[in-house]
Structures are given as C-alpha cells and as structure tokens.
Amino acid sequence: MHQLLKDEAEKALEPGSLAPDTSGMNFYRADPTLADLLRIYLPEALFRHVEPHLDRLGQLAGGHLDECARLADRHTPILHQRDRFGRDVQWIEYHPAYRELERAAFGEFGIHAMSIREGILGWPARYPVVAKHAFTFLFNQAEFGLGCPINVTDGCAKLLANFGSEELKARYLDGLTQTDMGKLTQGGQFMTEKEGGSDVGTLTTRALPEGGHWRLHGEKWFCSNADAKVVMLLARPEGAAPGTRGVGLFLMPRFLDDGSQNRYRIVRLKDKLGTRSMASGEIKLEGAIAYAVGRLDRGFVQMAEMVNSSRLSNGVKSTALMRRAHHDAMTVAANRVVFGSRIIDLPLGRRQLMKIALATEQALSMSFLTADALDRAEAGSQDAAALLRILTPTLKFRATRDARKVCGDALEMRGGIGYIEEFATARLLRDAHLGSIWEGTGNIVALDALKRAVGRHGAESALAADLHARLDDSIDVPTAWRDRLRGLTDRAVSFAREVAARNENEAEARRATSLLYHAASAVQFAWEAARIHAWRGDARRLLLSRLVVDHRLSPGDPFRLTENKLQDAIASHLLGKRDVGMAEVGELVLAA
Ligand SMILES: Cc1cc2nc3c(=O)[nH]c(=O)nc-3n(C[C@H](O)[C@H](O)[C@H](O)COP(=O)(O)OP(=O)(O)OC[C@H]3O[C@@H](n4cnc5c(N)ncnc54)[C@H](O)[C@@H]3O)c2cc1C
C-alpha cells in the first residue's frame, strides 16, 4: 500500500501556515459535540463500548481513509464486458483504495450490519441507530461515495428481515450482514427508471411469474452499487394496477444458484459529478430471475421503509460533509495569515465561519434527534413513529441543501487551492450536490413533509408535543428564552398546517419545511445545552439557539446594522475552547 501513504517529500515541505490542512486530524477527538450528543442518547455502557472504536475510526478517517477516498475518487470504476478467458461475464474493476475503504466500512467496523446483526465490534446486541450513525458520520467525513453501498446493504437486509419469506431470509440475510469480506454480499436498490425517479408510479419494468420465481423485463436508469450481489427493486407484475399501487417489491440476485450471472446487463456506468469512487450504472433486465418480497400489492409501501431509512442516512451523510468542511475551514482560518492577521481574527472571516458552523451544528442535532426517534419508534412508541414521520423528510430537505452551501463556503475559505482537486474541498462540494437529489429531490421531500406527514398524518402535532416537552425538561435554560422558543415552535407548526391545508399553498412547502427544521433545531440546542451543562458545566450550545432565532426565524431589515457586539461575543465563545456556564450564556441569549 505504499502508494496510499503520504509522500515523505511532501511532508518535508511542511506547508504549515501556507496551506493548513486537516491531514492527520482525528475526526472523533476534534469533535467534542459528537461525544456530548452520544452521551445524551446512549446508555453509559454502550457509550463506553463504542468510544474506542469511534476514536479509531476518527483517526483513520482523518488520515488513511481520507487518502484512500482521494485516490478512489480519481481512479473511478471501470466496467468490463468479458473476463480474461473471453467469457461474456461482466465485472467492475475498482481501484485498491476503494477496496480498502470497503474493508474498513464493511469488514472492520461493520457499519452496514450494526443495527441488524448482533455481535458487531464485540457488542452482544444490535446497536441503536444513533450509535450506528455515529460511525456513518465519521466514515463519511472521509468517503461519501461508499456511503451509498453501506446504506443500501443495510436497507436491503432490513427489508428482507421485515418482509421476506423464511426461505429468502435463509438464503440472503447472512451475506448482507457479513463482516467477513469473503462472505459479504453487498446490496443495491434499483427503483428509478427513465420515465420517473420521483414519479415511481410510471415505472414500466414488468414481472412475469414462472414457477416459484419471477422474470423481470425492462430498464433501470440509476443503479448505484451497480454490481451489488443482492438487489431490491420495484416492478409491475403482469396485469397489476397502474400507479404505485400496482408495483411489487422483488429481490434480484446478481448470481444464480449455478454460479452464472443473472439475466441482466450493466449497459454502462454513469460519468458523475460526485461519488465518483462508486459505480452507478444503467441496467437492462432481460428476463432476470427475481423473488417477490412481502405482499405484492404492498411493494411501494414496503420499499418506502427503505427509502425513509435512506433519507435519514442521507441527512447524516450530508452532515458529515458539512463537519468535514467545517474542520477544513476552521483549520485554514486558524492558521492562514492574510494582511498580517489570521483569518479567524478578521470580522468577515468570523462571520463566514459562524455561518458554516451553525448549519453544521443544526444538522448534527437534527440527525441525532431523528435517529433517536427511529430507535424509539422501533421499540414500539407511536409518538416517536409520528415524530419520525415528520423529522425524516425535514432533515433530508434542509441538511442536504445546507451541505451544498457549507461545502462551497469552506472551499472559498481555502482560497484558490480550495478549488483544486488535491485538497478535499472540491470533492466535498461535488459530493454535496448529490444529497439533495437521490432518495427524493428537494421538492419531493418538502412535499412529503407538508402534504403527507402534516396534511395526511398530522405528524406536526407529535413534533410540537415533543419540542414542548423538551423545553419543559430544560429548566436550567432561562424561562424567557424557553417561552420565546415555545412561541416560535407554535408559529412554525401553525404555518405548516396552513400550507398543508390548501393545494394552492403548495409552493410554500419548502419554506414551511425549513421553518419546522429551524424551530426544532433551536429547541434541540436549548435541550442539549441544559444536559451538557448539567454534567460538565458548558452551556454554549444555547448560543446556537439564539443564532437560529436571529438568522433563521426572525424577519430581517436589510438596511439595519447587525448587533455586532452581541454577535461577536457569541462568535468568540463558539469559536473558542473555553466552557461557558449557563448564567453567562443566559445573559447573551436574552440580550436585546
Ligand atoms: C449519482 C446518482 C445515483 C443514483 N442512484 C440511484 C439508485 O441507486 N437507485 C435508484 O433507484 N435511483 C438512484 N438515483 C436516482 C435518483 O433517486 C433520481 O434521479 C431522483 O429521485 C430524481 O428522479 P428523476 O431523475 O427522474 O427526476 P424527476 O423526477 O424527473 O425530477 C426532475 C425535477 O422535477 C422536480 N419535481 C418532480 N416532481 C415534482 C413535483 N410534484 N413538484 C415540484 N417539482 C417536482 C424534481 O424536484 C426535480 O427537480 C441516483 C441518482 C444519482 C444522480
């Protein structure tokens, strides 16, 4: 692996303050908030168990895996039509750096299997989703492309476990959850067709029954992890109803029992803006053998489960991109000297850093809030299920969109070399643009939040109740501030209801979803601050709550000067390392 190691000559140059970089940073140790949030959500014994593993992943992600990600991004997969003996066997060639990333994610840490299989990393039970996504968060700070195969392998296993027959489970579940790389069978999820990615009901792939299985005919237009061994897909059984009601869910293996390739062809690989390390293909189904999963007339509803857990994963992965961009921007700003000052000491530099930090912290808090709702919903809580219903599209909408901007701003913080592919920022920006497209574009997830979660299921009531309970439970936070947050929560929820109530308000769906996100994150910051303050005396997360209120939930007069002294005081605390108690923070959040 000598090529993956940093060139000694480059090290000898000691770029230092000329081009400060995150190379060698431990992304777990550099992020005390991550540990704070995990301590809030995880039982103490589990936190103590995962911490050394997170520490190791944090170190790898800031060094070796980051270098692998850079190489895998430059040496993209190649589709071959024949093997070396001249047989028509399709295969995809990956750079060794991509294989190394796979070995770490699937083999060493088992991120794909953590919430499904017991015993991963020596823990006797399955991990809660909160714990799993702490690993997702760290891994994706180095490599975003492989984040998709990890997530869809996890999603396929979950679908199979929930809806598959005992026979199918016996054949495929073990491989999907293996950490032995020789036995692992990665998953794929092929839904999108040329006719529609958003409008899934228009899909034209047909399924014809044949004995104990089905034969598939048609084309899938976007197939990430194109050579996955086990694929979940949607197809319309012959004679079934039009629209989403008529589509069934099928499992399609890459290889048949006799070892031959199933009858589908990867026609070509997509030449993508981002996630270039990972192979996304176009696939022709030419009588491929597949097996029905669950009830045929519930195919779309069942697949929606996988889509929703992918949307959460997408939110977490976009948060990871933001945190990486944030680390990068902070490293540059704290070390690069311009006009005789460090960037971090200049007013506009600080303002830009705060913008990057705020969106990143919001996404982190909202990711763990949503993951925790999923854990509680799976444990049987109806309230948590309703909360999850509204939080999932809300997180997916806002965090994936913010990642585009945050990664672009961090790139600019680095100046010209931020635009050059030798540094991570260009890759982060390219990858960030995908988060808001796959598993539902911005419009689609905003409509899901407003029309379905609010309009059809009334899930905003669960959100309001949850946020109020969190404020009631944060008695250390000044009462006046909690009242302010209560009022803003109620306004965001009322606005969402108003938008959802009438079709002619549809164009406001994105704004309403953003307002729910901002109100929820402001409350979360207060709730987290109360907890972190109680055990280690630091209430600074409450300052983020004030920033959300000022910059996201208040009308602004473009001609009025910002209250700079207050904003500077808040920035100094947040950019500094000193813990600050509730009394001092409380004064700042209530300052006029
Ligand atoms: C790199 C990459 C990998 C992918 N991997 C996979 C994969 O593995 N499996 C898979 O199934 N798919 C995959 N996709 C496909 C992705 O999920 C779809 O591209 C996405 O869902 C959008 O569908 P579409 O491309 O058909 O666009 P369309 O659905 O045609 O959307 C076009 C535009 O119309 C807007 N729009 C649609 N409906 C509405 C509405 N009601 N109101 C307002 N605006 C609307 C959308 O927001 C979008 O801006 C991948 C895509 C990419 C880019």
Side-chain angles (χ1 to χ4, degrees):
M1 276 321 231
H2 66 279
Q3 59 186 355
L4 301 183
L5 298 173
K6 277 257 168 252
D7 185 350
E8 289 304 312
E10 187 190 325
K11 264 193 207 158
L13 285 176
E14 285 185 358
S17 65
L18 292 181
D21 191 15
T22 60
S23 296
M25 184 184 269
N26 179 324
F27 290 153
Y28 179 70
R29 292 187 189 177
D31 192 354
T33 306
L34 176 59
D36 281 341
L37 296 187
L38 291 176
R39 279 205 174 93
I40 289 176
Y41 288 110
L42 297 181
E44 177 64 21
L46 179 54
F47 174 73
R48 271 193 277 110
H49 176 79
V50 290
E51 189 167 40
H53 299 293
L54 291 171
D55 190 38
R56 173 163 163 74
L57 180 55
Q59 183 226 327
L60 288 171
H64 178 59
L65 295 180
D66 191 42
E67 184 59 6
C68 290
R70 189 186 69 76
L71 283 166
D73 179 72
R74 292 196 82 70
H75 302 278
T76 55
I78 301 166
L79 173 65
H80 294 278
Q81 300 297 341
R82 288 193 149 196
D83 69 7
R84 64 194 159 129
F85 305 107
R87 291 176 301 199
D88 292 327
V89 176
Q90 289 197 307
W91 61 285
I92 297 177
E93 182 183 349
Y94 294 93
H95 190 270
Y98 186 79
R99 294 299 188 202
E100 178 69 1
L101 290 163
E102 287 184 315
R103 192 204 56 74
F106 289 101
E108 181 174 349
F109 293 98
I111 304 172
H112 65 299
M114 285 188 145
S115 295
I116 300 175
R117 193 178 185 122
E118 294 169 350
I120 305 287
L121 293 174
W123 183 248
R126 295 171 196 170
Y127 289 85
V129 175
V130 165
K132 173 179 75 182
H133 280 324
F135 287 86
T136 307
F137 178 62
L138 288 173
F139 185 83
N140 279 265
Q141 288 180 49
E143 162 66 8
F144 184 81
L146 187 64
C148 166
I150 299 167
N151 170 57
V152 284
T153 302
D154 182 359
C156 282
K158 198 80 195 292
L159 269 191
L160 186 58
N162 285 354
F163 303 111
S165 64
E166 291 309 316
E167 192 194 338
L168 276 186
K169 281 193 240 182
R171 281 174 78 178
Y172 297 108
L173 199 50
D174 181 65
L176 284 166
T177 57
Q178 268 290 344
T179 53
D180 177 337
M181 294 304 282
K183 294 180 182 160
L184 170 72
T185 50
Q186 291 183 33
Q189 176 219 42
F190 302 169
M191 227 168 29
T192 305
E193 300 188 0
K194 286 179 195 159
E195 291 77 9
S198 310
D199 193 359
V200 179
T202 59
L203 68 77
T204 59
T205 296
R206 288 176 306 132
L208 306 176
E210 184 187 86
H213 56 248
W214 295 74
R215 292 243 177 221
L216 304 178
H217 300 266
E219 233 180 275
K220 292 288 173 184
W221 182 227
F222 273 97
C223 305
S224 290
N225 212 15
D227 57 350
K229 302 287 189 305
V230 179
V231 171
M232 289 287 182
L233 52 68
L234 294 175
R236 198 177 304 283
E238 190 82 313
T244 49
R245 295 177 75 93
V247 295
L249 176 65
F250 295 89
L251 182 155
M252 178 176 77
R254 180 69 179 131
F255 293 100
L256 301 176
D257 291 344
D258 63 3
S260 64
Q261 279 187 351
N262 200 353
R263 277 211 227 154
Y264 63 91
R265 257 183 325 119
I266 306 169
V267 180
R268 62 172 181 162
L269 298 184
K270 302 275 197 197
D271 185 5
K272 298 175 286 181
L273 175 69
T275 62
R276 293 177 65 82
S277 60
M278 181 267 298
S280 298
E282 297 165 17
I283 284 181
K284 260 190 197 288
L285 304 158
E286 297 166 331
I289 287 181
Y291 305 95
V293 178
R295 270 177 50 186
L296 263 189
D297 60 345
R298 306 260 310 156
F300 183 73
V301 177
Q302 291 166 178
M303 183 62 113
E305 240 185 61
M306 183 168 174
V307 170
N308 276 325
S309 80
S310 292
R311 285 179 178 173
L312 165 58
S313 169
N314 260 313
V316 175
K317 287 185 291 198
S318 289
T319 311
L321 292 176
M322 285 192 264
R323 176 59 93 215
R324 175 66 192 278
H326 177 223
H327 283 323
D328 202 78
M330 285 293 288
T331 305
V332 170
N335 292 290
R336 173 121 171 129
V337 174
V338 292
F339 298 100
S341 295
R342 296 183 314 158
I343 299 169
I344 199 170
D345 296 325
L346 295 167
L348 274 176
R350 291 164 82 80
R351 181 68 57 92
Q352 288 307 112
L353 284 173
M354 288 314 298
K355 284 186 179 175
I356 289 170
L358 182 60
T360 306
E361 298 299 341
Q362 281 185 287
L364 189 60
S365 291
M366 293 296 285
S367 289
F368 282 114
L369 176 67
T370 310
D372 180 61
L374 176 53
D375 282 327
R376 288 188 291 123
E378 290 198 337
S381 162
Q382 292 294 317
D383 290 343
L387 182 65
L388 178 68
R389 184 66 191 83
I390 180 77
L391 284 177
T392 303
T394 302
L395 169 73
K396 161 74 164 91
F397 174 71
R398 198 60 263 158
T400 60
R401 297 203 67 73
D402 285 349
R404 295 171 162 207
K405 183 159 189 316
V406 163
C407 292
D409 286 352
L411 181 153
E412 190 184 350
M413 184 68 76
R414 190 167 266 294
I417 53 171
Y419 198 71
I420 304 303
E421 293 281 356
E422 286 160 344
F423 288 87
T425 37
R427 186 175 83 238
L428 297 179
L429 181 65
R430 288 189 283 104
D431 287 349
H433 278 265
L434 183 52
S436 67
I437 294 172
W438 61 9
E439 305 293 349
T441 60
N443 286 354
I444 292 301
V445 284
L447 288 172
D448 184 47
L450 263 289
K451 286 190 119 171
R452 280 180 288 280
V454 176
R456 199 179 297 164
H457 301 291
E460 79 289 358
S461 300
L463 178 64
D466 185 87
L467 298 180
H468 276 273
R470 281 171 201 274
L471 290 169
D472 294 345
D473 201 20
S474 307
I475 44 173
D476 289 348
V477 172
T479 308
W481 189 248
R482 287 193 287 149
D483 289 345
R484 179 100 192 264
L485 294 178
R486 274 195 196 91
L488 289 166
T489 299
D490 292 345
R491 288 192 68 189
V493 167
S494 299
F495 184 67
R497 282 186 182 135
E498 199 181 334
V499 172
R502 293 171 189 279
N503 282 340
E504 60 262 36
N505 293 341
E506 190 170 304
E508 302 282 11
R510 291 167 75 117
R511 189 154 70 95
T513 307
S514 292
L515 289 170
L516 288 175
Y517 180 89
H518 295 316
S521 61
V523 172
Q524 267 302 100
F525 286 142
W527 182 80
E528 292 161 1
R531 260 129 214 91
I532 297 166
H533 184 252
W535 66 269
R536 67 173 180 83
D538 186 14
R540 283 180 299 162
R541 273 185 102 63
L542 193 60
L543 297 172
L544 294 164
S545 162
R546 167 81 196 233
L547 292 181
V548 174
V549 171
D550 284 358
H551 300 290
R552 303 278 184 266
L553 292 169
S554 303
D557 174 354
F559 298 105
R560 198 172 60 85
L561 276 174
T562 318
E563 194 5 293
N564 278 319
K565 259 172 89 178
L566 175 66
Q567 298 292 326
D568 281 351
I570 292 177
S572 293
H573 285 314
L574 288 172
L575 294 173
K577 291 200 162 68
R578 186 175 68 84
D579 290 349
V580 187
M582 189 60 87
E584 203 177 331
V585 165
E587 265 181 42
L588 285 174
V589 286
L590 293 173

